[in-house]
Amino acid sequence: MKLIIKIIKFEINNTLRSKWLIIYSAFFLLLGFLLFNFEEETSKAALSLMNIVLFVIPLVSIVFGTVYVYNSINYIQMVLCQPIDRRSLYLGLFFGNSIPLAFGFFIGTALGILLNGFELTNIKPIIILIGVGVILTFIFTAIAMWIALRFNDKARGLGVSIIIWLFLAVIYDGIVLFLIYFFREYPIENFMIALSLINPVDLGRIFFILEFDISALMGYTGALFQKFFGSTFGSLVSVGTLLLWIIIPVFFGLKSFSKKDF
């Protein structure tokens, strides 16, 4: 455990010296400041920010995580020559890259909102917003590292990463809408809940939508989402599913890392 913490500290210090992290944080700071400054209603500003978060964070996390692994092959080879087990190194690399990304998003968003004199009475939607962003950072960083370890070619690995992001963030919603329209005469509501559970981006969106009771605009399906995800059992299932979205890619990434011949 001490070895993992040392690697994490080294990776965090290395990442914090990069200008891109400052730009990343500044982007959310400026975005949060502008949205909450020009929009009188907090709920509308938070909803607009969430829509951007659901696209930007998965994209940045999966691209950066993929590129980092490919650019760090020589460094990984050098470290593996030392008496360090691969499990500790992999976990150190994962947390050392995901934590600065999550921290940059958190600091930038929080400062941007606080600069507008945000009232503490409306803090719940902001907590959900930041929580979803942080979880998505860990999820897509884990996916990125797994992909990079599965494909030796950098162009192919980066292409697969972008396709996965495109599918989960954009195409998936189109498929769901098509299924709802095509099977509108059939009772597929439970099936739609299952589809939402297997997409972390959709889960984050549903959590936020339910907070503002916008689900009423979605008709019977929205009411069903409210009934399931609004219950204690539904919330536990959702949180557990999001954790699995982190654990499973990390597990398979570690498995690939342990077998990979560097």
Side-chain angles (χ1 to χ4, degrees):
M1 189 65 184
K2 291 182 179 180
L3 183 58
I4 296 177
I5 294 176
K6 286 183 179 180
I7 297 174
I8 292 174
K9 288 181 178 179
F10 176 79
E11 291 298 323
I12 290 177
N13 291 331
N14 187 43
T15 304
L16 289 176
R17 290 196 295 266
S18 301
K19 293 181 180 179
W20 68 263
L21 185 61
I22 298 176
I23 297 174
Y24 184 67
S25 301
F27 169 77
F28 283 107
L29 189 154
L30 181 62
L31 191 65
F33 176 78
L34 292 176
L35 288 176
F36 282 85
N37 187 44
F38 291 107
E39 181 58 62
E40 295 182 358
E41 295 186 25
T42 300
S43 59
K44 290 184 178 180
L47 185 61
S48 298
L49 184 56
M50 172 58 80
N51 288 329
I52 298 174
V53 164
L54 291 175
F55 281 92
V56 174
I57 287 185
L59 177 61
V60 172
S61 300
I62 202 167
V63 170
F64 173 76
T66 304
V67 172
Y68 172 81
V69 174
Y70 286 117
N71 292 343
S72 303
I73 294 298
N74 292 333
Y75 165 73
I76 293 173
Q77 290 174 342
M78 181 193 69
V79 175
L80 288 176
C81 293
Q82 311 300 318
I84 297 177
D85 63 286
R86 294 199 173 199
R87 175 178 172 275
S88 298
L89 177 58
Y90 179 80
L91 293 177
L93 293 174
F94 168 68
F95 286 109
N97 282 275
S98 54
I99 289 176
L101 275 175
F103 181 75
F105 161 71
F106 169 74
I107 291 297
T109 303
L111 288 178
I113 295 173
L114 289 175
L115 287 175
N116 287 287
F118 184 75
E119 298 180 4
L120 293 179
T121 54
N122 297 323
I123 200 172
K124 187 177 179 180
I126 304 304
I127 292 176
I128 296 176
L129 171 69
I130 294 177
V132 169
V134 169
I135 292 175
L136 288 178
T137 299
F138 282 92
I139 289 174
F140 281 87
T141 301
I143 294 174
M145 294 186 66
W146 180 21
I147 292 172
L149 292 169
R150 288 285 297 172
F151 297 93
N152 293 324
D153 183 68
K154 183 177 181 180
R156 180 178 296 181
L158 188 57
V160 171
S161 296
I162 293 176
I163 289 174
I164 289 177
W165 165 79
L166 190 64
F167 177 78
L168 292 176
V170 182
I171 299 176
Y172 191 89
D173 286 339
I175 295 175
V176 171
L177 289 175
F178 172 78
L179 291 174
I180 292 176
Y181 175 78
F182 192 78
F183 296 101
R184 61 187 181 278
E185 297 180 358
Y186 298 91
I188 61 169
E189 287 77 14
N190 292 329
F191 178 66
M192 301 311 300
I193 290 179
L195 285 180
S196 299
L197 287 173
I198 62 176
N199 186 347
V201 178
D202 262 5
L203 266 180
R205 183 183 293 111
I206 289 172
F207 271 134
F208 200 76
I209 287 176
L210 294 180
E211 172 62 25
F212 294 100
D213 294 328
I214 306 175
S215 58
L217 301 176
M218 300 167 61
Y220 179 68
T221 303
L224 191 67
F225 281 174
Q226 177 72 57
K227 181 179 179 181
F228 178 78
F229 291 106
S231 65
T232 302
F233 175 74
S235 299
L236 291 176
V237 171
S238 304
V239 172
T241 303
L242 287 173
L243 291 177
L244 283 177
W245 265 103
I246 300 175
I247 295 172
I248 292 176
V250 168
F251 172 78
F252 284 105
L254 178 58
K255 190 174 180 180
S256 299
F257 188 75
S258 299
K259 295 180 178 180
K260 189 175 180 63
D261 184 9
F262 290 96

